[in-house]
Amino acid sequence: MCGIVGFTGQVQAAPILLEGLRRLEYRGYDSAGVAVQHGGAIEMVKASGTVERLAEKTAGGASLPGECGIAHTRWATHGAPTDTNAHPHLSGDGRFAVVHNGIIENYAALRAELLSEGYAFASETDTEVVAHLLEHYYDGNLKRAVMRTAARLEGSYVLGVLCADEPGRLFCVKEAGPLILGLGVGENYFASDVTALVGRTKNVIYLEDGEMAELTPENISVYDRTGREISKSVSHVVWDIEAAEKGGYEHFMMKEIMEQPRAVKSTIEPRLRNGRIELEGFELTAEEFSRFSRIVITACGSAYHAGMVGKYVIESLCRVPVETDLASELRYRDPIVGPDTLLIVVSQSGETADTIAALRECKARGAYVLAIVNVVGSTIARLADSVLYTHAGPEIAVATTKGYTTQLAALYLFAVWAAEKLGRIDDARYNELIAELDALPARVQRAIDLNLHVQYLAERWHEQRAMFFIGRNIDYAAALEGSLKLKEISYIHSEAYAAGELKHGTIALIDEKRLVVALCCQTALFDKMVSNIQEVKARGAKVLGLAPEGDRRIFAEADDVLFAPRGEPLFAAVSEMVPLQLFAYYVARENGCDIDKPRNLAKSVTVE
Ligand code: F6R
């Protein structure tokens, strides 16, 4: 949530900062701003709306001279998305500018204190206290002023600091939010994530909570909370700039849908060796693994939906009880978790605040933590005992697609690996499941190829005011994700129900105007789904059926049909999600929605 970027070097900073903001815009896009040092002062431009509006106001950055600056793209928490509330925020004397990602929880007390000392506030934000505190503590030593300021703050704060009196020098602070440093030649950067930097440098330093960095064009120094300089290792980012660009597609979301065969392959292929699953980074023996009497999966949003699929698959194959818990609930409910619990934490970004808090809570109670994460070096990856990276590549569209399907692929790998370790499946079943995993990327491609008519179906149904998604077992978990995809990008109200549950109340909402999307890929439950389809049809609803390829029975039941390639029903959620993603995409496109940047959302939810 919110993207920050800082640059210090020998060339004009503002165009580089704006380019960084464009790449970080998925983190928040209600307002943006940039501040640079120039002629012993700070020059600043802010704009409500997108980064493009800021670019228009500054001629792409050209109108702002100066080689050192900071910038921000906002997802509002305190105060409406106006020009005034946009970051950076200036101290009263105009000598300090600050950008911030997070929430300063004690800002009201600090604001009252600063007001009583005569500081005047221009905005409604929590962030502005930081600018005034810097002015208050500055005595010619910027490092000391930043440290004193940070020591006064509670909550989550990733800060970028610019001072008019310190040419070419930037400070940044990390507390409970993502922040990386980029190392260039004669120039250095900080940013919320690596996407802001690709194209300029691939050498990065991941900061830990409580660390602070000082950047000049020639040097980067990192300090701990006490101000002691510490040494940090430099990591090399493996992916290229193309991965963070649209590559000819109209939207990142469509590009990422189309990338799924390759992404799922990247999750699975490196872990299949000589017909066996090897989970590098999670190398527990059968004996060590059997100490877990239960598994808890925690996550938010789509990652939670992936966890729900994981529950069905793991319980079915391993016969170990699995609980799925929303991270925002788990953290506050005194969970029954201990050393006999394996906690699986699922997160694309690895930075979701509630998920991090749930992880910490369970780890403190002795749980062993396995993280399924996409972003390398992210907070969740670093806090976990073991990590399975999904290797999906950068996901830019706010609505997750390849992030979700690769999380499923990682959960399947884990389930089959654990089932074999625990001796719950025989060799024949193990080999069969390995072959199914191997075939999954091709199935995803087939799911794309089978559903080219989905665009036409979207044209037909895009004027619906509400839709229902129903399914049983794994199809129910997939229905939750299909429904979320539709509502978050098209703004059409949509709900997902376990198909047998609809008649216990919600069927009151079904009438001849409603479209019900019925997921029928759990072949053993097909007849049960037919009964539920009949129930809604009897109330006049129209039905869009999703069935395994070649299952002609669906034509007799549904008004329109989508297909998922046939394969192991336990792994059906991956390929059946593809037509649902495409359906949501085309419905949103028909309705003229901003697909990559849906209203009110941000990709990385780093606040509670
Ligand atoms: C929906 C979506 C969100 C995320 C959720 C968790 O399309 O992307 O629901 O799944 O915010 O994010 P991560 O996986 O980064 O923890």
Side-chain angles (χ1 to χ4, degrees):
M1 250 159 203
C2 299
I4 72 171
V5 57
F7 170 85
T8 178
Q10 326 286 345
V11 294
Q12 196 179 3
I16 295 168
L17 292 167
L18 282 173
E19 189 50 35
L21 285 189
R22 281 193 190 98
R23 294 189 193 283
L24 290 177
E25 204 170 11
Y26 69 87
R27 302 181 63 85
Y29 33 82
D30 56 41
S31 51
V34 55
V36 291
Q37 289 172 340
H38 180 57
I42 290 177
E43 286 188 24
M44 184 171 78
V45 180
K46 309 204 272 190
S48 57
T50 61
V51 172
E52 223 29 65
R53 283 212 54 223
L54 181 66
E56 280 160 20
K57 268 182 139 175
T58 58
S63 68
L64 275 175
E67 291 82 41
C68 178
I70 57 177
H72 187 271
T73 178
R74 180 168 186 243
W75 186 87
T77 58
H78 296 65
T82 58
D83 283 13
T84 314
N85 288 332
H87 300 211
H89 289 285
L90 288 183
S91 56
D93 63 4
R95 310 303 289 167
F96 296 89
V98 177
V99 288
H100 168 217
N101 170 26
I103 292 181
I104 294 164
E105 288 168 3
N106 61 336
Y107 87 98
L110 291 171
R111 190 177 168 113
E113 178 188 318
L114 288 158
L115 281 169
S116 74
E117 288 182 26
Y119 291 91
F121 280 76
S123 78
E124 302 157 90
T125 65
D126 53 337
T127 306
E128 198 183 334
V129 295
V130 180
H132 296 304
L133 283 172
L134 285 165
E135 179 186 332
H136 182 72
Y137 287 123
Y138 187 62
D139 58 4
N141 183 329
L142 184 55
K143 179 184 162 196
R144 201 159 53 213
V146 173
M147 282 178 62
R148 285 184 178 164
T149 299
R152 299 292 316 275
L153 308 178
E154 288 166 20
S156 54
Y157 47 92
V158 176
L159 302 170
V161 173
L162 186 70
C163 174
D165 301 327
E166 308 261 350
R169 190 177 307 277
L170 290 175
F171 272 83
C172 57
V173 177
K174 171 175 154 53
E175 189 67 59
L179 183 65
I180 55 139
L181 308 176
L183 289 79
V185 179
E187 56 189 42
N188 288 309
Y189 322 79
F190 65 75
S192 298
D193 82 33
V194 289
T195 44
L197 305 183
V198 280
R200 296 207 73 86
T201 180
K202 289 187 173 181
N203 296 323
V204 300
I205 292 174
Y206 295 102
L207 291 184
E208 301 289 338
D209 283 352
E211 291 178 352
M212 170 175 88
E214 178 178 7
L215 290 77
T216 62
E218 303 302 338
N219 188 51
I220 287 185
S221 304
V222 181
Y223 307 103
D224 68 10
R225 259 185 239 280
T226 67
R228 191 173 53 94
E229 186 160 358
I230 50 177
S231 78
K232 300 284 289 181
S233 56
V234 176
S235 306
H236 193 71
V237 178
V238 286
W239 43 268
D240 284 316
I241 191 162
E242 294 78 47
E245 291 185 341
K246 284 189 199 154
Y249 288 97
E250 193 181 339
H251 299 101
F252 278 111
M253 183 174 175
M254 183 52 92
K255 176 183 176 237
E256 288 159 8
I257 290 173
M258 294 301 169
E259 279 173 353
Q260 287 179 110
R262 206 177 62 209
V264 169
K265 192 170 180 171
S266 304
T267 310
I268 292 177
E269 199 174 64
R271 280 140 183 161
L272 293 186
R273 297 211 189 104
N274 306 318
R276 302 197 60 77
I277 298 174
E278 287 180 22
L279 299 183
E280 213 182 306
F282 185 64
E283 282 140 357
L284 300 188
T285 62
E287 201 188 353
E288 285 166 334
F289 190 74
S290 53
R291 82 162 199 261
F292 302 127
S293 60
R294 59 203 280 268
I295 297 173
V296 174
I297 305 180
T298 195
C300 300
S302 296
Y304 172 74
H305 296 157
M308 281 187 69
V309 175
K311 171 186 163 72
Y312 284 104
V313 177
I314 297 166
E315 284 192 341
S316 166
L317 291 175
C318 305
R319 310 311 299 161
V320 176
V322 183
E323 215 178 299
T324 42
D325 221 336
L326 290 165
S328 53
E329 289 294 313
L330 178 69
R331 62 182 294 193
Y332 291 122
R333 73 170 177 81
D334 193 10
I336 305 171
V337 163
D340 65 337
T341 311
L342 172 65
L343 181 79
I344 303 182
V345 177
V346 187
S347 175
Q348 189 282 128
S349 63
E351 300 294 349
T352 303
D354 283 321
T355 313
I356 293 171
L359 184 165
R360 287 203 161 107
E361 181 65 41
C362 296
K363 204 170 167 179
R365 289 164 191 250
Y368 183 97
V369 181
L370 169 65
I372 293 178
V373 171
N374 187 32
V375 177
V376 174
S378 56
T379 305
I380 290 174
R382 281 179 287 130
L383 289 175
D385 296 300
S386 301
V387 188
L388 291 182
Y389 282 113
T390 53
H391 302 307
E395 191 178 63
I396 311 283
V398 165
T400 184
T401 52
K402 63 176 182 172
Y404 167 84
T405 46
T406 53
Q407 286 162 356
L408 290 182
L411 285 161
Y412 298 165
L413 281 163
F414 166 81
V416 179
W417 174 88
E420 199 261 350
K421 275 264 178 279
L422 295 171
R424 302 282 152 77
I425 51 174
D426 61 20
D427 284 355
R429 180 69 171 138
Y430 182 67
N431 292 334
E432 192 179 279
L433 291 170
I434 297 277
E436 285 291 331
L437 286 170
D438 206 23
L440 214 50
R443 296 240 164 81
V444 179
Q445 185 58 52
R446 179 81 187 138
I448 293 171
D449 299 341
L450 272 177
N451 290 292
L452 298 174
H453 65 299
V454 71
Q455 187 168 357
Y456 156 74
L457 296 185
E459 275 169 34
R460 206 162 126 93
W461 297 114
H462 74 278
E463 282 170 345
Q464 285 278 310
R465 298 201 39 209
M467 289 190 207
F468 290 86
F469 286 67
I470 57 171
R472 285 173 176 263
N473 192 276
I474 287 171
D475 284 358
Y476 165 50
L480 287 165
E481 176 59 9
S483 164
L484 177 63
K485 281 289 84 74
L486 180 81
K487 74 180 118 189
E488 69 182 327
I489 60 168
S490 73
Y491 317 139
I492 293 174
H493 174 246
S494 137
E495 285 187 46
Y497 269 86
E501 181 65 15
L502 203 63
K503 57 185 165 296
H504 298 288
T506 307
I507 204 160
L509 299 175
I510 300 293
D511 61 22
E512 59 288 340
K513 292 196 226 67
R514 272 323 124 239
L515 179 69
V516 175
V517 182
L519 282 65
C520 308
C521 294
Q522 294 304 305
T523 34
L525 296 169
F526 191 91
D527 292 341
K528 301 291 163 204
M529 282 303 297
V530 168
S531 306
N532 300 130
I533 289 175
Q534 289 300 335
E535 286 161 11
V536 296
K537 279 174 70 174
R539 273 111 193 138
K542 300 288 179 288
V543 173
L544 172 57
L546 171 55
E549 181 179 5
D551 196 332
R552 304 189 64 77
R553 291 175 296 172
I554 194 71
F555 289 113
E557 309 300 332
D559 298 272
D560 280 319
V561 175
L562 294 168
F563 282 116
R566 275 183 184 276
E568 165 61 50
L570 276 179
F571 300 160
V574 166
S575 36
E576 72 186 316
M577 194 49 56
V578 174
L580 298 182
Q581 293 164 346
L582 289 167
F583 182 65
Y585 174 88
Y586 284 115
V587 167
R589 193 159 165 267
E590 279 298 315
N591 291 347
C593 301
D594 189 347
I595 291 178
D596 283 339
K597 297 197 279 283
R599 70 182 178 212
N600 304 339
L601 298 182
K603 183 135 191 92
S604 189
V605 186
T606 53
V607 295
E608 260 189 64

